[in-house]
Amino acid sequence: ATKEQWQSLVDFGKKHNILMVNDNPYSFVLGSDPRSILQAEGAREVALELNSLSKTFNMAGWRVGMVLGNAAHIQAVLKVKSNMDSGMFYGIQKGAVAALKSGKAWFEKLDNIYNERREHMFRLASLLGCTYDPEAVGMFVWARLPEGAPRSEEFIDKLLYEKDIFVAPGTIFGEQGEGYIRFSLCVKSEKIEEAIARFKKEK
């Protein structure tokens, strides 16, 4: 989202007295300019932002995250949270502290890995006749199916049974995902290259 889009959302929230919650776990992945909804004027009055160590620090499954906002909203969250559990295992907390001390080099190394994988994914998407936004950020590549292609789930079934390649259909993320497929950058470059080679071989 652009800063202008976030400002528009914040203004909408203020106008209609709606609490906006922005889930922003990919803000530090493949983006040299991390952005937050809290940068919008007046956002602290009507917005909370969530972030996670899962994506930025490869701590998926550790369930370590954060919420940012004004004191009143945070207190409301804590009131509910304190009745749901009694805290996080201390070892995980120590791991989170160590992760948060990571310097710029960590982000640069991670981005280099994801950039390499993304270039491979772009090649695979192109082989499938799909189009994509080369400027998109985050850990996934969303690709639009070629004109005249079958529905997303039919497309990935054909790919799976004929080429032994699995890609997530956009529809599992909601109705608006029809006509799209989603590639994950969690796959190592070697595996993506294997998929490309398999596709080329069997094409």
Side-chain angles (χ1 to χ4, degrees):
T2 64
K3 293 178 181 178
E4 291 76 20
Q5 287 171 323
W6 270 325
Q7 188 64 59
S8 177
L9 286 170
V10 166
D11 292 343
F12 180 85
K14 291 176 74 173
K15 179 179 178 180
H16 298 283
N17 195 29
I18 297 172
L19 176 64
M20 315 296 291
V21 181
N22 182 45
D23 190 21
N24 201 17
Y26 302 109
S27 56
F28 294 97
V29 179
L30 290 175
S32 58
D33 179 28
R35 297 175 185 171
S36 164
I37 195 171
L38 297 174
Q39 291 174 287
E41 186 177 343
R44 292 177 185 271
E45 300 170 37
V46 295
L48 287 171
E49 182 159 277
L50 311 177
N51 212 309
S52 166
L53 274 68
S54 297
K55 312 301 189 296
T56 308
F57 297 101
N58 292 347
M59 295 170 70
W62 292 40
R63 318 314 300 163
V64 185
M66 63 206 82
V67 57
L68 300 93
N70 70 34
H73 291 148
I74 297 296
Q75 284 303 315
V77 172
L78 289 174
K79 188 173 183 180
V80 176
K81 176 71 174 163
S82 64
N83 284 284
M84 292 177 65
D85 59 57
S86 56
M88 183 181 291
F89 172 57
Y90 186 58
I92 289 179
Q93 294 183 52
K94 295 285 282 185
V97 169
L100 290 170
K101 290 180 179 178
S102 300
K104 186 179 179 182
W106 165 262
F107 295 98
E108 290 175 346
K109 179 181 178 182
L110 204 61
D111 278 355
N112 286 337
I113 291 171
Y114 287 135
N115 265 318
E116 179 185 334
R117 294 176 183 177
R118 186 168 60 173
E119 289 304 315
H120 292 304
M121 283 300 190
F122 286 164
R123 288 173 54 211
L124 180 56
S126 295
L127 278 172
L128 297 174
C130 297
T131 54
Y132 49 83
D133 178 5
E135 302 300 320
V137 297
M139 294 174 61
F140 302 97
V141 172
W142 280 86
R144 183 189 290 273
L145 297 181
E147 194 71 34
R151 294 176 64 84
S152 297
E153 292 182 15
E154 294 175 46
F155 187 90
I156 66 107
D157 279 349
K158 183 178 175 66
L159 201 57
L160 177 63
Y161 293 120
E162 294 184 4
K163 311 293 184 185
D164 293 320
I165 299 171
F166 175 76
V167 182
T171 48
I172 66 173
F173 305 101
E175 292 180 6
Q176 298 301 313
E178 181 54 65
Y180 293 86
I181 52 178
R182 192 185 83 164
F183 301 89
S184 170
L185 299 185
C186 295
V187 181
K188 292 183 177 180
S189 294
E190 295 80 5
K191 282 292 180 185
I192 307 170
E193 279 295 315
E194 182 182 327
I196 290 171
R198 189 181 306 159
F199 184 85
K200 284 182 174 180
K201 179 181 179 182
E202 296 184 12
K203 191 172 179 181

